[in-house]
Amino acid sequence: MELIVARNREDLVKARHTGTVALVPTMGALHEGHRSLIRQARVRADQVVVSVFVNPLQFSPNEDFSRYPRTFDADLDVCRAEGVDVVFHPSAEDMYAPDRQVSVSAGQMGQVVEGAFRPGHFDGMLTVVLKLFHLVQPDLAVFGQKDAQQLALIRRMVADLDLPIEILGAPTVREPDGLALSSRNRYLSDDDRRVALALSRALRTGAAELTPARIRQAARAVLDEAGPALEVDYLALVDPATFAEVSEDYSGMAVLAVAAKAGSTRLIDNVTLTLNPA
Ligand code: AMP
């Protein structure tokens, strides 16, 4: 089957099959992490739609919207190789009318951890994801655990707004040395990349401990070893459903999450662990 490039709702309607549809939302610059999401979608649905859209709403003015990598031709090759049916690639003008008024609020959960450092980011992310859901009308959508708070907020939006869409979370794909794949990794110099390895190392070291205090301490020590070349925004051990910090007697699944700048590139990573297993 020929890959279809859809620019708007009309194109999407024309391309629609009768079977089940899976959506994989991305901002492009596709890598192995995106590919693993596409493969999950491929095995679960008759038709796979990948959206490629760098969403201006989720970047604040001091962030990297204009220099975010845009590699659409290479993205099409990846999608062809992965058997994607439709690539949805709208323009910002088509997505956002100049007089638009209504958007989605991520609520309190959008203002903590990553949200505390990126005001408005999760509102912008949820707004575009809700629009993509309405435009593509998928039966299921696949998101990476790499963006754990994003995935949790999408699950909340689906529950709170009664969206008839199944959400699949996919594990984080890493380089052999532990670095989580990210479209932003291409900005890293060799030195930055070495420094950036402290993120995954800190998470692994923390996850080997058993109590919240020791987990935080062990992970923090690894980040500190990296010195001033690594500018840490946060290290957080949180309840995956709310992203509230867990207390010392918490039991159940928890997410150990980190965000830091290596050089001028801001990276995030996380691992899931279980505290006080019964
Ligand atoms: P992005 O293009 O960075 O907005 O990411 C699009 C989707 O791919 C999101 O659901 C991300 O969580 C997911 N993703 C990004 N990096 C990875 C990775 N290394 N492993 C798995 N999924 C990822």
Side-chain angles (χ1 to χ4, degrees), residues 130-179:
L130 185 62
K131 285 169 70 75
L132 291 170
F133 284 175
H134 286 309
L135 286 160
V136 175
Q137 302 193 15
D139 300 282
L140 64 111
V142 190
F143 294 88
Q145 180 65 36
K146 159 80 167 37
D147 298 273
Q149 195 170 359
Q150 164 173 293
L151 174 59
L153 277 163
I154 287 163
R155 290 191 193 283
R156 275 253 59 97
M157 176 171 76
V158 164
D160 292 352
L161 302 184
D162 305 299
L163 305 180
I165 299 170
E166 185 188 348
I167 303 300
L168 287 186
T172 301
V173 177
R174 298 177 180 281
E175 302 277 7
D177 60 8
L179 184 70

Side-chain angles (χ1 to χ4, degrees), residues 25-28 31 33-34 37 68 143-144 146-147 150 171-173 181:
T26 81
M27 298 204 298
H31 51 64
H34 299 113
L37 270 51
Y68 195 85
F143 294 88
K146 159 80 167 37
D147 298 273
Q150 164 173 293
T172 301
V173 177
L181 295 191

Side-chain angles (χ1 to χ4, degrees), residues 60-81:
S60 55
N62 61 339
E63 292 181 347
D64 59 348
F65 173 72
S66 56
R67 79 171 190 131
Y68 195 85
R70 288 161 172 86
T71 61
F72 190 61
D73 290 339
D75 294 345
L76 287 180
D77 290 341
V78 168
C79 288
R80 259 186 222 106

Side-chain angles (χ1 to χ4, degrees), residues 3 21 45 49 62 65 71 78 184 190 203:
L3 177 69
V21 176
V49 180
N62 61 339
F65 173 72
T71 61
V78 168
R184 291 185 170 100
D190 290 350
L203 297 177

